[in-house]
Amino acid sequence: MEDCQIIDLYWNRSEAAITETSRKFGGFCRSIAMHILDNAEDAEECINDAFLAAWNTIPPQRPKKLSAFLGRITRNIALDRYDYNTAQKRNRQFHCILDELEECLAAGLDTEAEYESQQIAQVIRLFLEGCNTENRNIFLRRYFYADSIEEIAKRFAYSESKIKSLLFRMRKQLKKVLEKEGILL
Amino acid sequence: MNRNKQYLLFEAIGLVDEDWILEAETAGRKPAVVNKRRAFSSKVTWYGIAAGFVLLLSLYVFQVLNDHVLLPNEISPPVSQSNLSNGSETSSTEQIENNLESSAESIERIPTWEEQTMPERFPEMSYDGVQYWVRSTSLLPEQVGEPVADITASGYDVYTETSHTTDAQLFILDGISPSVALAVQYAGDDHFYPCISDAYFPETLGDLVNDMNLRENMSFNRIYYDASNESAYISRVYTLPDPSVIWDFLFSDLSLKNEGDAHYQVNQIDISVAIPVLGIQNLSLGVNSDNYMQTNITGVASSFYIGPERAEAFIAYVLENGILESEESISYTDPEPGSEEGAAALEEPVAESVSEAVSHPASSGTTEDAGSPAKPAGTEGQSSASRPPAA
């Protein structure tokens, strides 16, 4: 079923919207949730919450790209769930991803300033605009989709060491861009 | 630990453009476009695999019989002279196995850090926000221009999982735009090597030609042409007596816009090109069935719409004027393997049906034309496979 047809089901408040969403995007959302949570039960709960969130926001929303819309919701819910989980249940791989992102944060600087996600997103957008397509895709596979290094290496037919080097350089560049734009986290 | 701020960053990444998220969803690397030397129909390949399996099974059965049925002193493996001279009796089977192992090892093994050359150790560097990748070709001193910058090159030892850095100096590469490539000299090394930008994307065909000084630097080698229909496949290799005609056919309109990988697909006709100053020996420049001239000489896909007239005219010119170096034709009509009918079908000349495909190359929207390929505008009265008029 096309995305627009599924969205029409939401607008018509037909319960078939959830069934069709699950059929088309269930695997996709599960993949994102599992990458962050690494726990099947938590991931299933996260996906159910994501579908509920979609039901509650469509209408009035009419997303242009349903997969991106659901991907974002799933990701945010999974992140909240990850934060909620105890330390013992934390996903080591996602822990690594957060540690990697810590490298982009300037150390020992102003910690009182508060930034909205949107402000930071604007700077990240600026950074990604300056990257070539492949590098941008690799960056997003790691930090949006939370893929493992091994998965990214297979997908792009590169060695794991090359992916690690590339992401390392991109984080350094992102840090410079954040500092230059005055985003001091 | 800045856990909340890490989350903030992670959340913010989630707010990037939807188009980028979708692009990354299906992103992956296209297989490298290589010049085809040979191509085989899948049926021929499967017959070969089956034959190989039967052979291996026979060898295994023979070995089992040798070990368990025949008396050891009735048949003994041959002993080579070299084994005798070493004082050991290594069977020829073991010898072969040893050779295979060492061959496989030599193919698969990554050289150690100590064994690697400087470009292999430090293949990448960054300058002015752009990543450059080094090729192992040595440049002549006269190809190297003014110094540009002192930089630090990075490398990674996969055996010890250690990162390394070294000082290096970047230079202009004579005749090549810095947006394409520079020359690098590592500290303590006398040689210069080309390093290629991974961010270069020419907006037009003219940019590509000028930035890379292609008229001076690029040479054309063999041309590969494949044609097929539902019953047969043919693969031909040509050379052109005067390869300079390629400029007239494919590079006459330098204003053509680069459409990147949007139309990139398997070439209908494929030219092997070399750009020695950039360490390029065999990359691809060709014409696909959507009438795009496409190339991977910049390291990423570039495609330029040249239109059906020019595409067909070029292919026709090659077929009529090219020197045929080799040809391989395969019929894939459906006989039973091993049957007389099957053997006869494979031996039948494929000439008629495939020559039809070769003489009248398929292109979009012109399937019903059984005559000569369309001529470019302004060439009426000339032979159908003549050079196009100068732009």
Side-chain angles (χ1 to χ4, degrees):
Chain A
M1 190 177 271
E2 297 291 330
D3 284 11
C4 54
Q5 291 173 306
I6 298 177
I7 292 169
D8 284 342
L9 290 174
Y10 278 99
W11 275 74
N12 294 331
R13 307 319 280 166
S14 163
E15 288 179 7
I18 302 295
T19 312
E20 293 300 324
T21 301
S22 175
R23 187 174 296 155
K24 190 169 181 183
F25 299 108
F28 168 72
C29 293
R30 192 169 294 107
S31 169
I32 293 177
M34 280 295 291
H35 277 149
I36 294 173
L37 298 169
D38 197 30
N39 177 288
E41 282 176 15
D42 288 345
E44 279 308 312
E45 285 185 26
C46 169
I47 291 162
N48 290 336
D49 289 345
F51 292 166
L52 179 62
W55 179 262
N56 289 335
T57 49
I58 308 172
Q61 294 216 37
R62 188 177 271 276
K64 286 184 221 162
K65 310 270 167 64
L66 200 48
S67 60
F69 179 78
L70 289 166
R72 281 203 179 121
I73 295 178
T74 305
R75 204 170 165 272
N76 289 340
I77 293 173
L79 190 61
D80 289 342
R81 184 91 196 185
Y82 178 85
D83 191 32
Y84 172 79
N85 284 352
T86 61
Q88 285 76 23
K89 284 172 73 177
R90 274 201 174 137
N91 176 1
R92 274 184 57 197
Q93 178 185 282
F94 187 61
H95 196 83
C96 283
I97 290 176
L98 292 181
D99 283 344
E100 285 171 17
L101 288 177
E102 190 175 14
E103 293 173 24
C104 302
L105 308 175
L109 294 171
D110 182 11
T111 56
E112 296 299 321
E114 292 207 343
Y115 295 92
E116 299 286 334
S117 290
Q118 284 289 357
Q119 278 178 283
I120 305 170
Q122 186 57 27
V123 176
I124 293 172
R125 223 173 271 129
L126 201 71
F127 161 69
L128 290 176
E129 258 170 14
C131 299
N132 67 38
T133 305
E134 187 172 73
N135 289 0
R136 184 176 64 234
N137 288 333
I138 290 172
F139 184 89
L140 289 174
R141 285 312 312 183
R142 181 67 173 159
Y143 301 117
F144 182 91
Y145 289 99
D147 285 356
S148 67
I149 298 291
E150 187 189 351
E151 284 168 337
I152 298 172
K154 275 193 192 142
R155 178 184 276 268
F156 289 89
Y158 285 136
S159 66
E160 288 186 31
S161 62
K162 176 162 178 177
I163 297 296
K164 282 184 199 170
S165 297
L166 196 130
L167 287 170
F168 176 75
R169 283 193 307 274
M170 291 189 81
R171 290 195 300 272
K172 286 263 181 278
Q173 286 164 6
L174 174 59
K175 180 175 176 179
K176 277 188 195 165
V177 172
L178 287 169
E179 284 173 355
K180 188 178 159 195
E181 296 297 321
I183 303 288
L184 306 172
L185 295 173
Chain B
M1 185 175 306
N2 294 320
R3 185 62 75 198
N4 290 336
K5 290 170 182 167
Q6 289 168 327
Y7 286 170
L8 201 55
L9 203 47
F10 189 75
E11 275 173 11
I13 291 171
L15 297 174
V16 300
D17 294 6
E18 274 185 1
D19 288 339
W20 287 346
I21 294 170
L22 285 171
E23 188 181 51
E25 186 187 337
T26 55
R29 202 155 175 246
K30 288 189 196 300
V33 175
V34 296
N35 290 291
K36 290 186 222 175
R37 296 285 184 267
R38 286 173 177 274
F40 299 95
S41 80
S42 58
K43 287 193 191 290
V44 171
T45 307
W46 281 115
Y47 292 152
I49 290 173
F53 179 73
V54 168
L55 178 63
L56 283 173
L57 188 60
S58 306
L59 286 172
Y60 175 72
V61 169
F62 175 78
Q63 189 64 38
V64 168
L65 291 173
N66 193 26
D67 287 346
H68 298 295
V69 175
L70 302 169
L71 294 173
N73 59 1
E74 284 184 359
I75 293 176
S76 59
V79 176
S80 71
Q81 287 299 318
S82 60
N83 289 342
L84 285 175
S85 65
N86 287 341
S88 67
E89 286 188 2
T90 310
S91 74
S92 59
T93 308
E94 284 171 356
Q95 241 187 324
I96 291 168
E97 285 174 351
N98 288 341
N99 288 342
L100 283 174
E101 256 182 36
S102 58
S103 298
E105 197 183 50
S106 67
I107 290 169
E108 292 176 359
R109 189 178 69 88
I110 297 171
T112 63
W113 186 257
E114 291 68 34
E115 291 167 344
Q116 289 179 359
T117 62
M118 289 300 279
E120 287 172 340
R121 286 181 189 174
F122 301 103
E124 50 188 306
M125 52 202 60
S126 181
Y127 168 64
D128 202 21
V130 175
Q131 213 55 34
Y132 290 81
W133 294 91
V134 185
R135 295 255 167 91
S136 294
T137 312
S138 271
L139 295 167
L140 299 170
E142 50 265 32
Q143 292 174 306
V144 179
E146 295 298 312
V148 170
D150 293 328
I151 51 111
T152 304
S154 54
Y156 189 76
D157 183 342
V158 297
Y159 288 104
T160 62
E161 293 188 329
T162 312
S163 295
H164 296 272
T165 58
T166 189
D167 292 332
Q169 196 171 16
L170 292 176
F171 298 82
I172 295 290
L173 192 48
D174 203 33
I176 304 278
S177 167
S179 61
V180 175
L182 294 166
V184 64
Q185 184 180 39
Y186 299 99
D189 185 347
D190 291 335
H191 299 98
F192 297 90
Y193 306 95
C195 53
I196 319 298
S197 163
D198 75 349
Y200 175 65
F201 183 84
E203 295 294 329
T204 66
L205 187 55
D207 288 343
L208 179 69
V209 170
N210 294 330
D211 291 343
M212 298 181 79
N213 199 8
L214 291 182
R215 286 191 184 267
E216 292 282 329
N217 293 322
M218 184 166 69
S219 59
F220 303 112
N221 300 323
R222 292 194 171 92
I223 301 177
Y224 301 85
Y225 179 74
D226 299 332
S228 65
N229 57 25
E230 58 276 359
S231 61
Y233 174 88
I234 193 165
S235 178
R236 287 180 174 173
V237 181
Y238 292 92
T239 50
L240 286 177
D242 179 14
S244 68
V245 302
I246 295 172
W247 291 105
D248 300 327
F249 278 105
L250 301 183
F251 290 86
S252 56
D253 185 355
L254 297 181
S255 68
L256 294 178
K257 196 166 168 278
N258 186 358
E259 299 186 43
D261 62 3
H263 300 275
Y264 209 86
Q265 53 180 286
V266 174
N267 276 322
Q268 200 177 352
I269 192 162
D270 204 350
I271 310 166
S272 165
V273 300
I275 308 176
V277 69
L278 297 180
I280 293 171
Q281 297 305 326
N282 179 21
L283 287 184
S284 168
L285 187 147
V287 177
N288 67 25
S289 55
D290 285 343
N291 305 307
Y292 278 79
M293 190 269 282
Q294 58 186 27
T295 182
N296 60 1
I297 59 175
T298 64
V300 295
S302 293
S303 56
F304 307 89
Y305 183 69
I306 60 172
E309 286 184 357
R310 209 160 282 280
E312 287 175 28
F314 175 63
I315 294 173
Y317 182 88
V318 171
L319 297 182
E320 294 199 26
N321 299 280
I323 300 166
L324 183 62
E325 301 278 333
S326 69
E327 176 179 302
E328 182 174 350
S329 58
I330 297 160
S331 167
Y332 38 77
T333 50
D334 206 6
E336 284 296 315
S339 70
E340 281 182 15
E341 185 189 18
L346 283 173
E347 284 172 16
E348 264 177 19
V350 182
E352 280 188 22
S353 60
V354 178
S355 289
E356 187 77 11
V358 169
S359 300
H360 305 295
S363 65
S364 54
T366 57
T367 52
E368 69 276 7
D369 183 11
S372 305
K375 301 170 194 174
T379 60
E380 289 82 10
Q382 299 180 22
S383 71
S384 62
S386 64
R387 295 168 70 141

